Amino acid sequence: MTFLPKPKLHHPLLATNALGLTRRDYEGAISTLCAGCGHDSISAAIVQACFELELPPHRIAKLSGIGCSSKTPTYFLGAAHGFNSVHGRMPSVLTGANLANRDLVYLGVSGDGDSASIGLGQFAHSIRRGVNMTYIVENNGVYGLTKGQFSATSDKGSKAKKGTINTDEPIDLVAMALQLGATFVGRSFSGDKTQLVPLIKAALLHPSAAFIDCISPCVAFNNHEGSTKSFDFVRAHNEAVNRLDVIVGRDRIEAEYEPGTAVDVTQHDGTVLRLRKLHPEHDPTDRVSAMNYLQERKAAGEIVTGLIFLDPDPADLHDHLGTSADPLNAMGDADLCPGAAMLERVNAAYR
Amino acid sequence: MKVTELRSPDHFHKVVDCQHACPAHTPVPEYIRLIAAGRYTDAYMVNWRSNVFPGILGRTCDRPCEPACRRGRVEEEPVAICRLKRVAADHKDDIRGRLPPPAEQRNGRRIACIGGGPASLTVARDLAPLGYEVVVFDDNAKAGGMIRTQIPRFRLPEEVIDEEVGYVLGLGVATRLNRRVDSLKAVLDEGFDAVFVGTGAPRGRDLDIPGRQEAAANIHIGIEWLSSVSFGHIKRVGRRVVVLGGGNTAMDCCRSARRLGGEEVTVVVRSGFDEMKASPWEKEDAMHEGIPILNFMVPKAFTHEGGKLTGVVFEKVAPQRDAEGRRQLLPTGEADVHIPCDDVLVAIGQENAFPWIERDIGLEFGRNGLPKLDATTHQSTLPRVFFGGDAAFGPKNIIWAVAHGHEAAVSIDLFCRGEDPRLRPPPETSLVSQKMGIHEWSYDNDVSIDLRFKVPMRAPEVALKDIHTEVELGFSLDTALREAERCLNCDVQTVFAPKLCIECDACADICPVDCITFTEDGEEAELRTRLRAPAINKQQDLYIGEGLKTGRVMVKDEDVCLHCGMCAERCPTGAWDMQKFLLETAKPRAHACSRV
């Protein structure tokens, strides 16, 4: 734990983006999590991703629930909107905010307790509705704040710090997100920012429900021999299916790859997601094969990471509902409250 | 890349930029912390051990430490190290009880130090307490050398010189004053075991241009004039004075002239303003006293009328590169400039001269007029004669003279023991953890943006009236504390233990200046290009740690590290630790040899 704030002094050659902001301008208050917490690395990756995408911090809304992971929005994007909701209820607050104002970039941060236990239903419904958001689960497989009990994502057979063996089946949030119709599904590891940063960037640009399960070792309660969420275990079993380059409009596409080894997916906004395949049999744009592949590799004891599934042409909740493009806060009284006659007409339509 | 070797002190020594840049390797951060803690006497003693003259240097040092200061790289201006040193000297208690006592027993070795300046006094300070019988020779009535004769009193009061020279002489050092040594052979014949020559660079260079002879009465050689002023032989100067030269002596000349009746004092320099040899702050101080500095003007002739100087004619020049890219000053073709004046002070450099050293005693000289010396041991071709200060390698400054004195003292000690002076003893170093708690360190690691404080000065109306009135007032204790807090504590090192590292990235994420990277190994030039922040300052080393589980290396660019300890605070396994590195240069051994 650090009590002193991070010094404001920075490297004299620290880069600025098109907004004139440095990466440091995307930081938040100093973290009060345990020293070495994987969550802090994810915060750093979010900072890096938002800086590189040149997002204005005040156009981002960061929402979270309860838990170590849900404390982290304090530690990044100090100038963004924030909402620290009730335990497990981040998805519904986010859905509501998104419906009221679709102009903001929505970033939901949650943990394995917050999303796989108390908020499992909320998680499921926000994904199946296709809310335009980036939903990151900082998954350490343990209840850190209450000193190390197994969480719902702890693998069967894994060992707690005090020696207990977990007998319950784990919830695989990636498999659930795929099954629930998420249009962007990825998994990453807090210890691998070269993979994580582009994944977060792509998720932030994705115009529908983007889900990232990020394994994030708990250095205090789940980084021991016998844990399957420790730095050593994840490094030993990590199988990245691809490497992702996010190529935004004006960036030059420099690298050339052998035919068949890279797939370019052009997004609606012109962004190109270039996937350099590391496993030829994995097709990231086919949901069924992605689900099969995931189960296969899991059975083989691997932790599949990378961009596992991507729908290149997704729709979101607003498209489904045909809601107004204008945020509610930009509408006048006449639009927000069209009067008794209009109400009568609406009611009549249902008779 | 080669893994950083921590068993030798080289890497960490270089990280402490100020100490590394100081010729005498004064442990700067160590004494600045003591000043911040209000322990002025302790701070003074840290200085005294390293540089012998803290009060004098705190006012006059050429400050090689300040341009090196890391604060200057991460912010704008370095810590005011020199003036903090003065604070320690001004506010210390009586230190006499903490000085080494004169040797109880002589070891039978006799050492002559010729010249009573900072180099000789340093040799005397280092050797006398060990039992050596040291005799300092000087032609003035008091020891001190150029400190006493060439630095004006308004920069350095006499009491400070008397005090600090007195500490050295009080260690049982004998003096032979008021007598000029005119034969080295005669000194050697007295049977000294070793002779140290610290006679400085005594001869000011003259300017032989038309009119020099005719107007000689009003043309003075700068350092000689300063010394006459210092001894009170000269009390007045003409109303209009031209000072020729752009070094620190020229600055002392013009400011002294300003106090002796010179109302219109002008400094004229051949080169451009930025290329002048004078320290930036000395130029500023002169300009602050209303002295214009004119550049790119070469003196052509002295004008005179009836044997009296009337002025100086200058040719205007401009810098140009010749075909081979060498910089030359070429006439611009503009009309010559005549500056009328009553006196001229020539301060265009100094020359070494050793007319008193016989050329047939086996002591060889090089073509530059300087003795042939071993660069490390300072030993001449006559083995028992050693040189230091300006007499050794040409004009430098006080702190270099002190550094030479220390090295020569080590050499003389080894020589007297019959050992090889080239086998130098290593410096004394220590590396100790500063951890006091989970996030508590024994030093102030709260680094913030703090701009440098200015040293208060006496108003020019008052300062210019009397040449003995000190211009600088020194920091108040409150300002000193705040200036001391600007120090980044670069001696508190970030020490990395790869075996403990779990590569969680916490340190790399938290580092405010992005100096830590975990990456694949590579050659230095290539590695420097793919760190988290560009490592373009090649003067600063990379710290490489290997033995990580993933096979990567930890690379830390030492360039702009704030020594804030955030990496160590965020490290879950204690792989990073903040450890204080203290280096003291080797001094002659405590238990001196004795003649049996």
Side-chain angles (χ1 to χ4, degrees):
Chain A
M1 273 228 277
T2 305
F3 286 162
L4 289 175
K6 184 166 169 173
K8 288 210 163 40
L9 291 161
H10 58 69
H11 195 280
L13 299 174
L14 186 63
T16 52
N17 62 17
L19 302 176
L21 300 177
T22 67
R23 195 186 75 247
R24 298 288 304 277
D25 294 321
Y26 288 82
E27 289 179 351
I30 189 111
S31 170
T32 59
L33 297 173
C34 306
C37 181
H39 297 359
D40 285 333
S41 283
I42 301 173
S43 295
I46 292 171
V47 164
Q48 184 70 31
C50 292
F51 164 75
E52 286 179 15
L53 287 178
E54 300 169 348
L55 297 176
H58 66 286
R59 300 308 291 164
I60 302 171
K62 47 181 187 178
L63 299 97
S64 62
I66 295 296
C68 297
S69 59
S70 293
K71 281 159 65 88
T72 64
T74 309
Y75 315 137
F76 58 80
L77 298 172
H81 303 276
F83 197 109
N84 197 191
S85 83
V86 186
H87 205 351
R89 270 60 186 168
M90 176 276 285
S92 37
V93 178
L94 191 152
T95 305
N98 184 300
L99 283 172
N101 183 355
R102 62 159 89 176
D103 287 353
L104 300 180
V105 173
Y106 289 92
L107 174 60
V109 176
S110 185
D112 41 322
D114 200 54
S115 281
S117 287
I118 193 168
L120 187 63
Q122 298 252 329
F123 157 75
H125 291 292
S126 68
I127 297 288
R128 62 176 266 276
R129 287 182 179 127
V131 180
N132 181 5
M133 64 179 171
T134 298
Y135 193 131
I136 299 179
V137 169
E138 304 187 347
N139 184 356
N140 56 17
V142 73
Y143 292 133
L145 280 182
T146 54
K147 303 206 168 179
Q149 299 82 359
F150 293 118
S151 81
T153 62
S154 304
D155 288 310
K156 191 173 184 176
S158 69
K159 201 200 264 183
K161 196 177 183 182
K162 289 276 174 74
T164 325
I165 303 293
N166 186 26
T167 50
D168 298 341
E169 283 294 332
I171 290 173
D172 184 347
L173 291 170
V174 166
M176 282 191 75
L178 280 168
Q179 197 267 319
L180 290 163
T183 46
F184 180 111
V185 181
R187 176 148 52 207
S188 191
F189 170 44
S190 70
D192 184 4
K193 281 205 204 64
T194 51
Q195 181 188 55
L196 181 56
V197 172
L199 208 54
I200 294 174
K201 282 166 73 177
L204 287 167
L205 293 170
H206 186 75
S208 182
F211 177 75
I212 299 173
D213 175 33
C214 190
I215 299 169
S216 172
C218 172
V219 287
F221 294 107
N222 206 6
N223 192 37
H224 47 266
E225 190 81 35
S227 156
T228 57
K229 299 276 193 288
S230 65
F231 280 107
D232 289 350
F233 185 91
V234 179
R235 286 207 171 101
H237 297 82
N238 190 346
E239 276 303 320
V241 291
N242 46 35
R243 285 283 167 187
L244 176 64
D245 297 309
V246 179
I247 303 154
V248 183
R250 61 182 172 283
D251 291 351
R252 281 190 15 237
I253 300 175
E254 280 167 352
E256 291 290 330
Y257 295 97
E258 294 279 312
T261 60
V263 181
D264 282 0
V265 182
T266 308
Q267 309 271 93
H268 272 309
D269 63 356
T271 310
V272 176
L273 301 187
R274 168 163 294 178
L275 289 156
R276 282 174 282 143
K277 281 192 179 182
L278 301 175
H279 285 249
E281 66 272 36
H282 171 249
D283 177 4
T285 57
D286 181 338
R287 188 184 296 271
V288 178
S289 94
M291 288 167 87
N292 285 335
Y293 184 78
L294 186 72
Q295 297 306 327
E296 233 177 76
R297 300 326 302 166
K298 190 182 168 188
E302 292 172 5
I303 302 170
V304 172
T305 61
L307 180 46
I308 294 163
F309 172 69
L310 172 70
D311 180 345
D313 193 22
D316 86 326
L317 181 58
H318 283 281
D319 300 331
H320 303 152
L321 298 179
T323 41
S324 160
D326 292 331
L328 298 186
N329 63 11
M331 291 184 183
D333 283 354
D335 289 327
L336 288 171
C337 189
M342 179 59 85
L343 180 63
E344 198 52 44
R345 264 170 55 197
V346 171
N347 283 340
Y350 290 110
R351 287 198 179 102
Chain B
M1 212 186 135
K2 211 164 149 256
V3 172
T4 304
E5 176 55 73
L6 299 182
R7 272 170 301 184
S8 105
D10 297 350
H11 181 82
F12 288 145
H13 183 26
K14 211 176 153 195
V15 170
V16 194
D17 290 301
C18 46
Q19 184 179 13
H20 194 253
C22 175
H25 300 314
T26 306
V28 176
E30 177 76 0
Y31 79 74
I32 289 186
R33 271 191 302 276
L34 292 169
I35 291 170
R39 292 168 58 187
Y40 308 111
T41 311
D42 293 333
Y44 184 87
M45 292 314 294
V46 167
N47 270 291
W48 191 81
R49 275 191 291 277
S50 294
N51 56 51
V52 193
F53 306 104
I56 292 166
L57 287 163
R59 290 167 169 86
T60 61
C61 190
D62 205 41
R63 319 177 195 175
C65 52
E66 292 193 17
C69 173
R70 179 167 277 114
R71 180 64 88 161
R73 294 201 294 279
V74 297
E75 210 176 77
E76 278 171 35
E77 288 201 78
V79 175
I81 300 169
C82 184
R83 291 332 188 229
L84 285 172
K85 190 195 306 286
R86 176 181 167 176
V87 169
D90 285 358
H91 296 277
K92 66 182 185 302
D93 302 325
D94 189 346
I95 59 134
R96 280 171 295 182
R98 304 178 71 163
L99 297 174
E104 280 174 20
Q105 248 191 319
R106 296 286 187 194
N107 66 7
R109 304 278 180 176
R110 295 170 66 238
I111 313 294
C113 290
I114 306 179
S120 283
L121 291 174
T122 302
V123 172
R125 203 275 320 247
D126 284 357
L127 294 181
L130 304 182
Y132 287 92
E133 184 188 337
V134 183
V135 185
V136 173
F137 295 71
D138 198 274
D139 58 345
N140 286 311
K142 285 175 163 184
M146 64 74 67
I147 295 175
R148 205 179 282 279
T149 60
Q150 288 173 31
I151 297 174
R153 291 295 86 86
F154 59 85
R155 284 180 58 207
L156 176 61
E158 181 118 40
E159 311 85 78
V160 180
I161 308 174
D162 289 343
E163 178 193 336
E164 294 192 334
V165 170
Y167 291 151
V168 176
L169 298 183
L171 299 172
V173 175
T175 51
R176 282 196 216 165
L177 302 172
N178 289 318
R179 225 176 340 150
R180 196 175 187 90
V181 174
D182 48 22
S183 163
L184 178 59
K185 196 162 178 295
V187 176
L188 290 169
D189 287 346
E190 284 190 49
F192 285 102
D193 293 282
V195 173
F196 176 78
V197 179
T199 49
R203 186 194 277 172
R205 192 173 291 156
D206 203 349
L207 183 62
D208 192 17
I209 55 173
R212 173 69 181 93
Q213 298 311 317
E214 295 83 338
N218 293 95
I219 300 170
H220 319 277
I221 302 297
I223 56 166
E224 290 165 16
W225 183 81
L226 281 174
S227 129
S228 301
V229 170
S230 173
F231 290 122
H233 305 319
I234 291 180
K235 292 198 170 66
R236 296 293 300 165
V237 72
R239 192 179 67 79
R240 300 167 305 169
V241 180
V242 165
V243 177
L244 302 176
N248 287 336
T249 304
M251 298 304 114
D252 284 341
C253 283
C254 68
R255 296 178 68 197
S256 296
R258 198 73 182 80
R259 287 161 170 78
L260 298 176
E263 288 168 28
E264 285 176 32
V265 180
T266 311
V267 175
V268 188
V269 193
R270 288 170 61 97
S271 65
F273 188 80
D274 293 334
E275 297 93 66
M276 284 169 64
K277 288 216 174 91
S279 316
W281 50 89
E282 300 222 7
K283 293 191 271 187
E284 263 169 46
D285 288 347
M287 292 187 293
H288 179 70
E289 291 177 354
I291 300 166
I293 297 176
L294 308 180
N295 295 93
F296 293 124
M297 286 165 68
V298 178
K300 227 171 146 181
F302 296 107
T303 57
H304 48 91
E305 219 177 276
K308 174 131 182 41
L309 178 80
T310 55
V312 191
V313 177
F314 294 94
E315 182 176 54
K316 286 198 157 190
V317 294
Q320 258 160 21
R321 301 225 170 257
D322 67 9
E324 282 148 43
R326 280 176 305 205
R327 194 171 169 282
Q328 283 185 315
L329 293 172
L330 297 176
T332 60
E334 289 171 85
D336 289 345
V337 181
H338 180 249
I339 301 181
C341 64
D342 306 310
D343 278 295
V344 169
L345 304 175
V346 182
I348 54 169
Q350 295 175 35
E351 282 173 324
N352 286 71
F354 301 95
W356 55 280
I357 297 182
E358 293 81 357
R359 302 295 142 138
D360 59 355
I361 54 172
L363 204 159
E364 292 171 33
F365 285 83
R367 272 197 297 180
N368 54 5
L370 291 166
K372 284 189 181 166
L373 300 178
D374 181 300
T376 314
T377 64
H378 295 240
Q379 193 171 30
S380 71
T381 52
L382 187 59
R384 64 174 162 138
V385 181
F386 300 78
F387 282 73
D390 289 357
F393 307 110
K396 281 187 176 164
N397 48 51
I398 306 174
I399 190 66
W400 271 109
V402 170
H404 289 175
H406 287 315
E407 291 302 328
V410 170
S411 302
I412 291 170
D413 184 43
L414 290 169
F415 175 75
C416 288
R417 292 165 185 275
E419 294 174 26
D420 184 352
R422 279 169 301 181
L423 302 176
R424 313 297 285 178
E428 281 179 33
T429 60
S430 62
L431 191 62
V432 180
S433 177
Q434 301 299 295
K435 199 172 178 69
M436 310 263 290
I438 290 178
H439 27 68
E440 199 181 352
W441 305 96
S442 71
Y443 72 107
D444 177 19
N445 65 326
D446 189 359
V447 178
S448 52
I449 296 173
D450 294 301
L451 296 178
R452 180 178 169 124
F453 290 89
K454 273 205 157 48
V455 180
M457 308 250 255
R458 214 177 290 277
E461 319 69 276
V462 184
L464 291 178
K465 270 194 190 133
D466 179 5
I467 195 158
H468 297 290
T469 304
E470 191 174 13
V471 178
E472 279 195 17
L473 299 171
F475 281 133
S476 70
L477 289 184
D478 180 51
T479 318
L481 170 63
R482 290 198 282 162
E483 183 63 33
E485 284 181 331
R486 296 183 70 232
C487 175
L488 295 172
N489 300 287
C490 299
D491 61 338
V492 182
Q493 306 280 353
T494 54
V495 182
F496 183 65
K499 270 189 190 150
L500 298 175
C501 178
I502 57 169
E503 300 175 68
C504 68
D505 272 1
C507 51
D509 289 338
I510 197 71
C511 178
V513 287
D514 302 317
C515 61
I516 302 169
T517 310
F518 289 83
T519 186
E520 312 306 322
D521 200 358
E523 285 307 309
E524 176 166 356
E526 181 267 335
L527 197 54
R528 279 180 177 271
T529 62
R530 54 181 168 87
L531 303 182
R532 280 172 64 83
I536 54 169
N537 184 355
K538 295 198 178 121
Q539 307 291 311
Q540 293 284 323
D541 290 342
L542 300 180
Y543 178 2
I544 309 285
E546 72 165 14
L548 300 172
K549 276 190 183 159
T550 59
R552 298 182 297 174
V553 285
M554 185 292 299
V555 187
K556 181 186 170 229
D557 180 11
E558 295 283 7
D559 185 17
V560 290
C561 171
L562 302 176
H563 296 258
C564 61
M566 288 276 160
C567 49
E569 287 191 18
R570 298 305 306 180
C571 182
T573 62
W576 286 105
D577 191 23
M578 304 305 291
Q579 301 187 0
K580 187 171 90 177
F581 173 77
L582 188 63
L583 177 142
E584 289 198 66
T585 53
K587 300 284 185 302
R589 276 182 251 173
H591 305 288
C593 62
S594 56
R595 195 192 288 271
V596 193

